[in-house]
Amino acid sequence: MKRTRVTLRDVARRLDVHPSTVSRVLNPRTRSMVADAMAERVMEAVEDMGYRPNPFAYSLKTNRSFIVGVLIPDITDPLFPPIIQGAERTLAGAGYTTILADTDNDPERQRVNFEIMRERQVDGLIIATARFEDPVIAEHRGGDIPMILVIRTINDPAMPCVINDDAYGIGLIVSHLAALGHRRVAHVAGPQDVSTARVRHRAFEDAMRKAGLEPDPSLIQFCCSFAEEEGRGAASDLLERGETFTAIVAANDLLAIGCLDALALFGKRCPEDVSVTGYNDMPFVDKIQPPLTTMRIPHDEMGAMAARLLLKRIEGDATAEGSISIRPELVVRASTGPVAAGKK
Amino acid sequence: MKRTRVTLRDVARRLDVHPSTVSRVLNPRTRSMVADAMAERVMEAVEDMGYRPNPFAYSLKTNRSFIVGVLIPDITDPLFPPIIQGAERTLAGAGYTTILADTDNDPERQRVNFEIMRERQVDGLIIATARFEDPVIAEHRGGDIPMILVIRTINDPAMPCVINDDAYGIGLIVSHLAALGHRRVAHVAGPQDVSTARVRHRAFEDAMRKAGLEPDPSLIQFCCSFAEEEGRGAASDLLERGETFTAIVAANDLLAIGCLDALALFGKRCPEDVSVTGYNDMPFVDKIQPPLTTMRIPHDEMGAMAARLLLKRIEGDATAEGSISIRPELVVRASTGPVAAGKK
DNA sequence: CTGAAAGCGCTAACAT
DNA sequence: ATGTTAGCGCTTTCAG
C-alpha cells in the first residue's frame, strides 16, 4: 500500500541529469562541485516533488546512522528525564535522532540493549546505567562505537564521563550539618555497585573525620537500590535498633523521602528530632513536608554536555576533553535544623 | 577504524553455499525452505563468526525499520515517563526499537519531529502531543504510517487512541466535593487546545449541574499550559478578585500544586479554608503538603496498550480495536475536606 | 532444496 | 561541472 517514495533517480530523470548530480547538490560537502544554476534547478525539483532522502540507503552506503542511543536505568526516576531531555535536544540540534532504552536497573537488560544498539549501528552511546564494575561497558571500551557515561561512572578513570563532584557535595552537606551542631550523623547509603553511592559513602566518612567527627559504623545503613522503600527500611532499622542520631545523610532524594516516612512512622519530627538531607534536588522535593535540604545538580545541562562531548568524539575530534565533573550546589530547606538543646 | 562487519556473504563463503541460503535460514518465514542439516551448519557458522544482520540493508530492501517513534510534549512532566516506559517495554518485547522526541510543547517542533520520523521511515508512531485541532496529525491521517494517540486525542472520534475517561473522572471529583458540602467550586482549567483540558472543563460544568450546582463563570480560570506557575497564577487571580469559593478543581496535578502555593501565599489553609483536587496522581503528590486528592490513571499500562494497538496495526490487523478509554480512579487524600461550618 | 541474478536508493571514486 | 560505474548487504523472484 505504501505509495512508493520519490527517489533521487526520479528527481534526476525529471531534470534529465544524472542522479549523482542531484546527490551532490543535496550534500553540503559536495554542493560546491555543481554549477549554481544547476543546483537551483535541482533544489526546485526536489522541493516540488517532495523528495526525501532514504536514510537506509544513505546509512548502508556510509555506515553512518545519525542515531545515538541513550541507556537509562529507570525513566520513572525523576533524575533521568532532564538528562534525556538535555541530551535529546542537543542531539536533535546536530541532526541526530535519539533512540531510548530503559534497562529497568537490570544488568542483563543493559547487555541486551547494548547489543541491540550495536546492531542498529548507532553512531554513539550515552550511558546512564553504568555500574562501578561493569563488564558490558568494559568489554566495549575501545571498541568501534564512541560512548560517554553520565551521572554514574565506572571503575576506570580514563572512561569519558559527565558526572557531579559527589565528594565535594557530600562535604558541603556534612559541613552544613556540623555547623548546625550535629555530631551523631547517620548515613543511608545507596547500592555500592553504583559509583555515585559508593563515592558518597566514602565521602561521608572522610567528611565526618574532617569535621572532627568519627563516623560510627552502626549508623551506616546500606540500601540495595535508590528507592523510597529502601530508604524507609534503612531508617526504620536505625530507629528500631534504638540508635541515637540527630541527622541522616541520605545518598539521594528518593532515599531521603523514605527516611522522612520512617521518621513520621516512628513519631519523630523532622527537623526538630532528626534532620535529613537528600541529593539531586529532584522536582517537587521543595513541595514535600518538610521541604528537603539537598544538593542541586544541573541534570539537563549534564545531559547536554554528555551529548556535546559524544558528538565531538563521533565527529572524530580525538582531542575532545575527556570528562567533566560538575560542582553541585547546596540547597538548604526545612528538613535540616539545629540540634535541639537537650540532644547535643 | 571500523573493523568491517561479518556479512551474509562471509558466512556463505565460509560454508561454500550461496548467500541466499544463509538468508533463508535466518528468516523464520523462509527457514522451512532449507534442509535441516544445512540450516544447522549455517546457524553454527553464524554463531561462530558472530554474524549480525545489517539493519540498513534489511530496511532498504524491505521498507520495514522495526522502529517506532514516540512523540512527547515534555518528558520532564512526570506524567509521561511511565507512558514511555510502558510503550518502550512492549515495543522492545516485540523486537521494535523506540525513538524518542520531546517537542517541548511546541507545535512547530512537533511538526519537525513528525517529519524527521517520517523520513526515518518509522513503522509507526505513538503520539502524546496531540492538540485538539492538530493540523500535523490531520494531515497524516490516512497516510502510510500507522499512528496511535495516547492521553490526548484530537477533534476526530475515529482516530485511534488510548485515553482515560476524563468526563467520568471529573464527575467523580465533583461528586466527592459535593458530598463534602461544597457548593462554590472553582475550576482551574488547562489549555483548551488540548483534549484533556477541554473535556475536563466541559465535564466540570456538566457535573456541577448534575449535582444541582450552577457553575459560576467567574470561578473558572483558564491556564495557558499545564504548569505549576500557571496554576499559581490562576488561583491568585481568583483570590485577588475576592471570589468566594470553598474548593478548586484543578485540571491536573501540576496546576493543583500551583493552587496550593497560591493558597499558602494568601494565608488560606487547605483543606480547612479551601479544598483542592488534581488529576493524574503523579509521583510524589502523596508526599506534598497536604497530600493531594486526585484521579489515578494507569499511565504505564496506557503506554503499553498504545504500543500493543499500534503493533497490531503495523502488523496489518485491520480489525484491531480502534480506541480504548480507561476509567480512572479517585484517590482521596488530605487536600479535600468538609466545608467549614461558617462557610456553607 | 539450493543457486543465480537483480535491485532496494544512495554515494564516491573515477572518468571526461 | 557533470556523467559513469560500482557496490554497500540484504531479500526475493526465478531457474534448475
Side-chain angles (χ1 to χ4, degrees):
Chain A
M1 227 54 356
K2 285 196 187 287
R3 76 169 187 304
T4 176
R5 274 165 59 132
V6 180
T7 79
L8 212 50
R9 250 228 287 292
D10 297 334
V11 179
R13 222 164 356 223
R14 141 99 85 110
L15 293 171
D16 214 45
V17 298
H18 198 271
S20 27
T21 303
V22 180
S23 170
R24 284 193 267 255
V25 172
L26 262 19
N27 185 324
R29 237 188 38 260
T30 49
R31 163 68 201 260
S32 57
M33 296 179 174
V34 42
D36 283 355
M38 175 90 284
E40 193 102 351
R41 286 180 59 214
V42 168
M43 287 312 288
E44 208 164 296
V46 160
E47 196 74 12
D48 188 49
M49 303 176 71
Y51 167 74
R52 298 279 158 222
N54 182 321
F56 304 132
Y58 174 87
S59 292
L60 178 57
K61 187 67 188 169
T62 62
N63 274 315
R64 302 269 287 104
S65 63
F66 281 97
I67 295 178
V68 165
V70 178
L71 254 28
I72 297 291
D74 176 10
I75 194 183
T76 64
D77 181 333
L79 186 60
F80 297 104
I83 296 173
I84 300 172
Q85 188 175 62
E88 194 260 348
R89 213 170 266 184
T90 306
L91 258 11
Y96 287 75
T97 297
T98 300
I99 87 182
L100 181 78
D102 185 320
T103 66
D104 207 14
N105 271 309
D106 175 355
E108 185 45 32
R109 287 192 48 138
Q110 187 206 23
R111 155 159 265 130
V112 169
N113 280 300
F114 211 106
E115 212 41 58
I116 290 175
M117 297 208 169
R118 250 174 62 85
E119 282 173 33
R120 286 251 179 223
Q121 314 242 97
V122 296
D123 287 340
L125 236 25
I126 295 178
I127 302 173
T129 55
R131 282 166 307 140
F132 194 64
E133 270 156 40
D134 198 312
V136 180
I137 294 176
E139 226 167 76
H140 291 86
R141 180 97 181 75
D144 47 5
I145 143 166
M147 310 188 290
I148 186 149
L149 310 181
V150 255
I151 301 290
R152 305 173 174 182
T153 187
I154 60 168
N155 188 9
D156 171 4
M159 182 74 197
C161 61
V162 177
I163 53 174
N164 96 98
D165 189 341
D166 285 306
Y168 172 82
I170 291 292
L172 250 36
I173 287 174
V174 171
S175 302
H176 167 64
L177 255 16
L180 288 169
H182 295 274
R183 305 194 54 78
R184 299 277 304 158
V185 182
H187 179 43
V188 170
Q192 296 296 298
D193 57 341
V194 172
S195 69
T196 47
R198 204 180 181 95
V199 174
R200 287 170 200 173
H201 170 229
R202 297 274 159 86
F204 171 77
E205 302 195 334
D206 293 350
M208 286 290 281
R209 289 198 191 92
K210 208 163 290 164
L213 308 169
E214 195 53 30
D216 179 346
S218 62
L219 290 185
I220 297 186
Q221 278 287 337
F222 292 96
C223 294
C224 299
S225 74
F226 282 122
E228 221 179 302
E229 316 83 74
E230 286 282 322
R232 183 162 42 238
S236 298
D237 281 359
L238 251 19
L239 261 8
E240 259 161 23
R241 285 209 309 268
E243 302 287 353
T244 61
F245 53 92
T246 62
I248 303 177
V249 172
N252 87 349
D253 289 344
L254 254 13
L255 257 19
I257 290 176
C259 292
L260 254 20
D261 278 359
L263 254 20
L265 242 45
F266 281 74
K268 300 275 186 189
R269 292 161 310 157
C270 173
E272 293 83 351
D273 299 322
V274 178
S275 288
V276 173
T277 66
Y279 207 110
N280 283 339
D281 193 27
M282 68 178 213
F284 309 109
V285 290
D286 56 329
K287 306 288 180 207
I288 65 173
Q289 197 53 23
L292 194 66
T293 293
T294 187
M295 294 302 305
R296 177 173 299 160
I297 304 181
H299 290 109
D300 49 352
E301 191 42 44
M302 289 173 76
M305 283 173 159
R308 279 196 290 270
L309 246 48
L310 183 66
L311 287 173
K312 274 196 195 167
R313 219 162 259 124
I314 289 175
E315 259 125 51
D317 183 351
T319 71
E321 335 161 49
S323 297
I324 295 181
S325 176
I326 305 219
R327 296 219 145 178
E329 179 191 344
L330 180 66
V331 182
V332 177
R333 299 205 183 90
S335 71
T336 49
V339 177
K343 302 224 173 186
K344 240 178 203 160
Chain B
M1 233 36 12
K2 284 195 189 287
R3 75 170 186 301
T4 178
R5 276 166 54 131
V6 180
T7 81
L8 211 51
R9 249 227 288 292
D10 296 334
V11 179
R13 230 176 336 234
R14 142 99 84 109
L15 293 171
D16 214 43
V17 299
H18 198 269
S20 32
T21 303
V22 180
S23 170
R24 285 194 266 254
V25 172
L26 262 18
N27 186 324
R29 238 190 35 261
T30 50
R31 163 67 202 261
S32 56
M33 297 178 174
V34 40
D36 282 356
M38 169 94 310
E40 193 103 349
R41 287 180 59 214
V42 169
M43 287 312 288
E44 207 164 297
V46 160
E47 195 74 11
D48 188 50
M49 303 175 73
Y51 167 75
R52 298 280 158 221
N54 181 322
F56 303 131
Y58 174 86
S59 293
L60 177 57
K61 188 67 188 171
T62 61
N63 275 317
R64 302 270 287 107
S65 63
F66 282 97
I67 296 179
V68 165
V70 177
L71 254 29
I72 297 291
D74 176 10
I75 193 183
T76 65
D77 181 331
L79 186 58
F80 297 104
I83 296 174
I84 301 173
Q85 188 175 63
E88 194 261 347
R89 214 170 266 183
T90 306
L91 259 11
Y96 287 75
T97 297
T98 300
I99 87 181
L100 181 80
D102 184 321
T103 66
D104 207 14
N105 270 309
D106 175 354
E108 185 46 31
R109 287 193 47 142
Q110 188 207 20
R111 155 158 264 131
V112 169
N113 280 300
F114 210 105
E115 213 41 58
I116 291 174
M117 297 206 168
R118 249 174 64 83
E119 283 173 32
R120 288 254 179 219
Q121 315 241 100
V122 294
D123 287 340
L125 236 27
I126 295 178
I127 302 174
T129 57
R131 283 165 307 138
F132 194 65
E133 269 156 41
D134 198 312
V136 179
I137 294 175
E139 227 167 76
H140 290 86
R141 182 95 180 73
D144 46 6
I145 142 168
M147 310 188 292
I148 186 148
L149 309 182
V150 256
I151 300 291
R152 304 174 175 181
T153 187
I154 61 169
N155 188 9
D156 171 2
M159 182 75 197
C161 61
V162 177
I163 54 175
N164 94 97
D165 189 340
D166 285 307
Y168 172 82
I170 290 292
L172 249 37
I173 287 175
V174 170
S175 303
H176 167 64
L177 258 13
L180 288 169
H182 296 274
R183 305 194 55 80
R184 301 276 304 158
V185 182
H187 179 44
V188 170
Q192 295 296 299
D193 57 342
V194 172
S195 68
T196 46
R198 205 181 181 94
V199 174
R200 287 170 200 175
H201 171 229
R202 296 274 159 86
F204 172 75
E205 301 194 336
D206 292 350
M208 285 291 281
R209 289 198 191 92
K210 207 161 293 168
L213 307 169
E214 194 53 30
D216 180 345
S218 62
L219 290 186
I220 296 185
Q221 279 286 337
F222 292 95
C223 294
C224 299
S225 73
F226 281 123
E228 218 180 301
E229 316 83 74
E230 287 282 322
R232 182 160 45 237
S236 297
D237 281 359
L238 250 20
L239 261 8
E240 259 161 22
R241 285 208 310 268
E243 303 288 354
T244 60
F245 54 92
T246 63
I248 304 178
V249 172
N252 85 349
D253 290 342
L254 255 11
L255 256 20
I257 290 176
C259 292
L260 255 20
D261 278 0
L263 254 21
L265 242 45
F266 280 73
K268 301 275 186 191
R269 291 159 310 158
C270 174
E272 292 83 351
D273 300 321
V274 178
S275 287
V276 173
T277 65
Y279 207 109
N280 283 339
D281 194 27
M282 66 179 214
F284 308 109
V285 290
D286 56 329
K287 304 288 177 205
I288 66 174
Q289 198 50 23
L292 194 66
T293 293
T294 187
M295 294 302 304
R296 177 173 299 159
I297 304 181
H299 290 109
D300 49 352
E301 192 41 44
M302 290 174 76
M305 283 173 158
R308 278 195 290 268
L309 247 48
L310 183 66
L311 287 174
K312 274 197 194 166
R313 219 162 259 122
I314 289 175
E315 260 126 51
D317 182 352
T319 70
E321 334 163 49
S323 297
I324 295 181
S325 177
I326 304 221
R327 295 220 145 176
E329 177 192 345
L330 180 64
V331 182
V332 176
R333 297 204 184 90
S335 70
T336 49
V339 178
K343 301 224 172 186
K344 238 172 206 168

